[in-house]
Amino acid sequence: MESCTEDLPLMANTNHVLVKHYGLDLDVCFDTQTIRGSIVLFLEPNTRNKDGSPVVEDCQSQLSEHSGNDQTHGINQTCAVPVRTCSSNSGNKDSADCDIGERDTSPKCDHHGNRKQASGITSSENCCDRGNHGSEDFVLVLDCCDLSVLKVEEVDVTAVLGTEKCMSSSQTIDNSKEHLSLSACILSEIEALPESQWKEQLFNYTKCSRAPGCGDLMFIMDKWSLRISKAGIKMPTNFPSAIRIWYQTTTNGSSVKWTKDQSGRHCVYTIGSPINNRALFPCQEPPVAMSTWHATIQAACEFVVLMSGENCATPYSSCEGFFSWFYYVTMPMPASTFTIAVGCWEEIKENSSCNIKTSDLSTPLYINNGSRLKEQKCKHMEYPCRFSLPEACAQAIIPHRVFASHVLFKQCSEVLLPLVSPCLEAAHAVLGTHPFPRLDILVVPSNFSSLGMASPHIIYLSQSVLYGSNHLCATRLCHEIAHAWFGLVIGARDWTEEWISEGFATHLEDVFLANVQKLPQEEARDQQKLKALLRWRRLTDELKDSQEELQILRPHGENTGKVNESGASVVRHGLNAEKTFMQVHYLKGYFLLRSLANTTGQDAYFAFLRQFVNTCHGQLILSKILPEQLVLLLDLLLEERPLLPRTLRCLENTYRLRNQDAEVRHRWCELVVKHKYTVAYKDVEKFLHEDQAMGVYLYGELMVNEDARQQEIARRCFAAVRDEMDISCVKVVGEMLF
């Protein structure tokens, strides 16, 4: 795809293979300012039948064939809390390589510093074998930059689930092919588990992520990608179903920020970088690559690990002086939404008898099939969804916590903490079911470049919102809470359409805030008018002072949402530093939605919005207008009083009406004729020449206005084509003209 130097490339070949689940096992080392360890990617070929169903073998029969009657070879039917264990003789500060899953009583524990020797990891120069990277072999492309990749290996999931016995069968089989096929089937069985068995699915993913390697894979790194291949594998359907990547972050990676908090203590956190998380772990960045994940993060015991996870992780001792934290996500989300913050954060707690119990935070309010809402039929891929659970739908205030540096304890306690419950309750009153089961709010270090940032289950706030009155804090908190619906559980399929999330969040923050303040309707309306005026002044300034190409809501135009054959694309202007601080997409989206709400009426608008959320949650959307919608729009405009030439010009340019189908162009020609928009008369003439099947009644429109120029166009066009026209058409048009 065409791109320029300020465009952010999305390199992952998601049209060939999709990552279904990530398993991260990472150590945070403040001495070296690195995050290091491994990530396991569970892959599925993105190959589909004509009916849209995946092309896979009959895995159940294959598993049965190899397993016989031994049920222990199938999917594990139990669930256990993953435990990470280490030997006690860990005097140095290097984090330890420990297992995830059932407790390992072995005294052995490798350290990351020794992994290269202990596990035979070769250097990047040796792994990146360009000479043997056959051009005909299938290549898995991941988004990646500023990472030091040490090794890539295939993962033998059959060893974990006991299926290695099948491989030693007396039957004569092609070992490599049979092993690959069986691994794919095992993972397919895990992926296919129903939402009611999400705990079992998570348990099996954690078990498989600690499976041993079974062969190195070739890889090549360039500026924006990691490319992995296996010799002799030509098709994505035959590529390994699980791979492990050993790596560490680098000091020039911009996905995370190593800094100090307001108390002067070390911390690190994901900062919402323009490159997202590709400098934190290799991944598939395009929004369509929605996946689940689990992560075990180890850090020194004085640090608290917060992360985008459905559970409230309880730290457990892993090595002497180290704690491990386990988080997971069962709702498929883009990898860009993964967030982590490690620091000496302190929790600010409410002094109230109605505090949220710890048990409420540890156990997400999730699936109970017997109590699911029968009328709620979700349209997203299967996962444990709160929108179909009555208890979740009625939960106005979800469990929440507030964290900050120690020196901000008083400000957070007095300003921020009292606002959280009212803001959550206000959001629920407007939009209904909270998409996520819990929420952490972290006041990040002073070098954070925004007032706030929302991710699944966690919100970052700037310390700037804590001072003065609580108005700015409440406003920003409402904005970030709104992103749970618009931006997270409903996301844009093309990142350039950021107005979808930011426009909705900006518009909704005013509505939430008025609810929090308990304002009378008239006072709320006056406050929102004042905010609209301030935003209009800001938008006017930005339109005047910024590059015009940065002001376009859909910079890809009609190509919005389109990718190349492999699935790669670009985020237009994604690396432009100026765009990071612009508000034009927030404000244009806000004014569009405000106009819609005022036109339709507030009650009708928010009733529709709630229905939209119930229908579209868990899905990616585009703002592209369908031809039928455009026809309806033009039909309605034909009923309006005369439109100004600048309005017609804007309409033509916005929707590229000359390039639309004949139904749309016919309505456009009717508007041109009705409003005597002379600069577009050539469109009418072209339509009468080239679309004779639909142009008959357009002659009548040209004649009925009794405009000499329009009548001359009708007669001239008719004279040019009458000899080619059907005899019936000639008769009808002739009666109109003469």
Side-chain angles (χ1 to χ4, degrees):
M1 300 184 70
E2 293 184 7
S3 63
C4 61
T5 55
E6 64 177 25
D7 293 341
L8 174 66
L10 302 177
M11 305 294 291
N13 52 346
T14 54
N15 279 354
H16 299 155
V17 171
L18 286 173
V19 178
K20 304 302 293 183
H21 185 88
Y22 295 94
L24 297 96
D25 184 8
L26 302 174
D27 296 338
V28 179
C29 181
F30 284 94
D31 288 347
T32 60
Q33 292 194 346
T34 57
I35 298 175
R36 52 194 181 185
S38 66
I39 181 171
V40 175
L41 280 61
F42 297 95
L43 308 171
E44 180 180 86
N46 193 9
T47 305
R48 297 188 174 274
N49 292 312
K50 292 182 179 180
D51 62 358
S53 60
V55 176
V56 294
E57 298 181 46
D58 184 354
C59 293
Q60 185 61 52
S61 60
Q62 182 170 347
L63 287 170
S64 300
E65 176 184 344
H66 289 284
S67 303
N69 296 321
D70 187 353
Q71 296 302 313
T72 62
H73 293 168
I75 303 300
N76 196 303
Q77 298 296 316
T78 62
C79 185
V81 177
V83 177
R84 180 171 182 159
T85 61
C86 295
S87 67
S88 59
N89 58 351
S90 147
N92 62 35
K93 292 186 179 180
D94 267 356
S95 308
D97 175 18
C98 310
D99 290 335
I100 305 172
E102 295 174 330
R103 182 175 296 277
D104 184 359
T105 56
S106 168
K108 299 179 181 179
C109 180
D110 284 340
H111 297 286
H112 281 305
N114 297 325
R115 274 179 172 161
K116 187 171 179 179
Q117 291 80 8
S119 59
I121 297 178
T122 55
S123 67
S124 297
E125 307 87 72
N126 293 333
C127 278
C128 299
D129 188 350
R130 295 178 181 269
N132 291 331
H133 195 83
S135 60
E136 294 184 358
D137 287 343
F138 171 74
V139 178
L140 172 67
V141 183
L142 300 174
D143 293 296
C144 174
C145 71
D146 298 326
L147 290 177
S148 176
V149 176
L150 303 175
K151 178 180 179 179
V152 181
E153 63 182 357
E154 184 176 353
V155 176
D156 183 9
V157 300
T158 64
V160 170
L161 297 179
T163 50
E164 71 279 358
K165 296 179 181 179
C166 304
M167 306 310 298
S168 59
S169 169
S170 59
Q171 299 178 0
T172 302
I173 56 176
D174 180 336
N175 287 334
S176 61
K177 182 177 180 181
E178 191 69 20
H179 160 76
L180 182 63
S181 179
L182 185 56
S183 296
C185 286
I186 290 172
L187 292 176
S188 179
E189 288 291 301
I190 295 175
E191 174 64 25
L193 287 172
E195 61 187 41
S196 59
Q197 295 178 259
W198 66 269
K199 287 185 178 181
E200 180 184 338
Q201 184 182 68
L202 173 64
F203 174 77
N204 282 295
Y205 272 135
T206 60
K207 293 285 287 184
C208 288
S209 68
R210 61 192 287 252
C214 58
D216 290 359
L217 300 175
M218 295 179 289
F219 69 90
I220 295 174
M221 292 192 66
D222 56 29
K223 181 178 180 180
W224 292 112
S225 68
L226 171 63
R227 299 168 182 266
I228 303 169
S229 65
K230 181 176 181 179
I233 298 300
K234 310 298 182 185
M235 299 293 293
T237 50
N238 296 325
F239 195 77
S241 301
I243 63 172
R244 180 182 290 113
I245 303 170
W246 299 90
Y247 74 97
Q248 67 180 32
T249 60
T250 59
T251 54
N252 57 330
S254 58
S255 291
V256 295
K257 180 71 173 179
W258 298 88
T259 186
K260 292 183 179 180
D261 65 15
Q262 291 83 350
S263 300
R265 296 178 291 189
H266 291 287
C267 62
V268 60
Y269 63 100
T270 47
I271 56 175
S273 167
I275 66 167
N276 295 308
N277 285 322
R278 65 181 69 186
L280 176 59
F281 59 91
C283 58
Q284 291 183 328
E285 287 266 86
V288 295
M290 299 173 72
S291 57
T292 54
W293 60 74
H294 73 268
T296 298
I297 310 296
Q298 181 174 261
C301 57
E302 64 266 28
F303 293 101
V304 173
V305 178
L306 302 177
M307 215 181 87
S308 46
E310 293 164 12
N311 62 313
C312 175
T314 301
Y316 54 91
S317 179
S318 49
C319 295
E320 184 177 352
F322 290 87
F323 281 160
S324 286
W325 307 69
F326 180 81
Y327 287 94
Y328 62 84
V329 166
T330 62
M331 177 193 298
M333 301 286 292
S336 59
T337 63
F338 181 96
T339 305
I340 185 171
V342 183
C344 298
W345 323 120
E346 294 190 20
E347 182 180 358
I348 295 89
K349 298 183 178 180
E350 293 176 298
N351 295 319
S352 170
S353 59
C354 60
N355 280 349
I356 301 295
K357 298 179 181 178
T358 303
S359 59
D360 294 335
L361 284 161
S362 302
T363 307
L365 186 54
Y366 264 150
I367 291 302
N368 176 354
N369 280 340
S371 63
R372 292 176 63 83
L373 293 176
K374 295 181 180 179
E375 64 272 19
Q376 177 67 46
K377 294 183 179 179
C378 300
K379 296 183 178 181
H380 52 69
M381 65 181 75
E382 190 174 13
Y383 66 81
C385 179
R386 288 171 52 83
F387 283 81
S388 57
L389 191 64
E391 300 95 317
C393 295
Q395 191 177 29
I397 303 173
I398 57 174
H400 54 273
R401 304 180 298 177
V402 173
F403 292 86
S405 168
H406 175 73
V407 298
L408 297 177
F409 192 96
K410 183 175 183 294
Q411 286 298 116
C412 289
S413 179
E414 295 177 354
V415 178
L416 173 58
L417 191 58
L419 289 171
V420 181
S421 290
C423 289
L424 289 170
E425 190 172 21
H428 180 270
V430 176
L431 295 178
T433 309
H434 286 283
F436 302 107
R438 68 174 196 94
L439 175 65
D440 283 340
I441 300 172
L442 172 65
V443 179
V444 287
S446 58
N447 56 5
F448 186 55
S449 60
S450 173
L451 288 179
M453 186 178 78
S455 299
H457 320 100
I458 185 170
I459 286 174
Y460 292 169
L461 288 180
S462 166
Q463 66 177 31
S464 300
V465 306
L466 298 177
Y467 299 94
S469 70
N470 67 1
H471 186 81
L472 178 59
C473 185
T475 300
R476 198 65 203 189
L477 185 56
C478 286
H479 182 100
E480 302 306 334
I481 287 174
H483 276 310
W485 287 268
F486 292 96
L488 294 175
V489 77
I490 300 175
R493 187 147 55 93
D494 189 313
W495 275 343
T496 59
E497 291 208 289
E498 59 190 285
W499 79 265
I500 294 177
S501 59
E502 297 300 350
F504 273 104
T506 304
H507 186 238
L508 286 167
E509 75 178 50
D510 293 354
V511 182
F512 293 177
L513 182 62
N515 194 310
V516 171
Q517 297 170 316
K518 308 297 182 185
L519 295 180
Q521 188 175 14
E522 189 64 29
E523 191 173 341
R525 187 180 299 114
D526 289 343
Q527 178 174 276
Q528 291 167 13
K529 286 181 179 179
L530 177 59
K531 287 199 168 190
L533 175 60
L534 292 171
R535 288 168 179 149
W536 177 254
R537 292 171 61 87
R538 174 66 183 271
L539 177 59
T540 302
D541 288 341
E542 285 210 358
L543 293 177
K544 180 177 62 176
D545 299 334
S546 62
Q547 302 175 44
E548 185 174 352
E549 60 183 5
L550 298 182
Q551 302 170 9
I552 302 172
L553 292 187
R554 304 177 78 236
H556 285 306
E558 292 303 307
N559 291 322
T560 300
K562 294 182 179 179
V563 297
N564 69 12
E565 182 275 334
S566 71
S569 62
V570 298
V571 180
R572 190 68 73 193
H573 312 300
L575 297 176
N576 186 303
E578 178 186 356
K579 186 173 182 295
T580 305
F581 299 98
M582 291 179 61
Q583 297 287 306
V584 64
H585 293 78
Y586 292 63
L587 299 175
K588 281 189 173 183
Y590 158 78
F591 280 110
L592 170 62
L593 297 170
R594 176 177 167 81
S595 176
L596 287 174
N598 290 339
T599 301
T600 62
Q602 299 292 322
D603 291 343
Y605 173 79
F606 285 106
F608 164 78
L609 200 60
R610 191 159 180 160
Q611 181 182 359
F612 178 80
V613 167
N614 286 335
T615 301
C616 296
H617 67 272
Q619 300 174 70
L620 301 173
I621 61 174
L622 290 174
S623 64
K624 185 175 181 178
I625 293 182
L626 297 175
E628 291 80 3
Q629 293 173 310
L630 200 49
V631 167
L632 177 59
L633 171 63
L634 298 179
D635 272 349
L636 293 174
L637 288 176
L638 282 167
E639 299 172 3
E640 294 294 316
R641 58 188 177 183
L643 302 176
L644 295 175
R646 67 185 182 191
T647 302
L648 292 167
R649 182 169 59 252
C650 180
L651 191 68
E652 175 190 356
N653 293 335
T654 300
Y655 297 109
R656 294 176 172 82
L657 295 177
R658 292 173 180 170
N659 299 324
Q660 298 292 341
D661 63 31
E663 288 277 6
V664 174
R665 286 186 285 110
H666 186 276
R667 267 69 169 189
W668 166 239
C669 289
E670 288 184 274
L671 279 172
V672 169
V673 172
K674 177 180 179 179
H675 300 293
K676 300 180 182 180
Y677 185 47
T678 57
V679 296
Y681 278 176
K682 59 183 178 297
D683 295 343
V684 177
E685 294 186 43
K686 183 179 180 181
F687 192 90
L688 292 175
H689 279 86
E690 298 181 2
D691 297 279
Q692 297 180 30
M694 301 184 65
V696 171
Y697 292 102
L698 198 55
Y699 285 101
E701 299 292 335
L702 288 166
M703 298 302 294
V704 78
N705 277 343
E706 297 184 354
D707 179 87
R709 185 174 176 184
Q710 289 188 0
Q711 291 178 347
E712 192 273 333
I713 290 174
R715 294 189 177 99
R716 186 173 66 248
C717 291
F718 180 62
V721 300
R722 67 175 297 165
D723 292 342
E724 303 171 3
M725 293 177 70
D726 176 80
I727 188 171
S728 299
C729 293
V730 171
K731 181 179 179 181
V732 172
V733 174
E735 291 175 353
M736 293 178 182
L737 302 186
F738 307 105

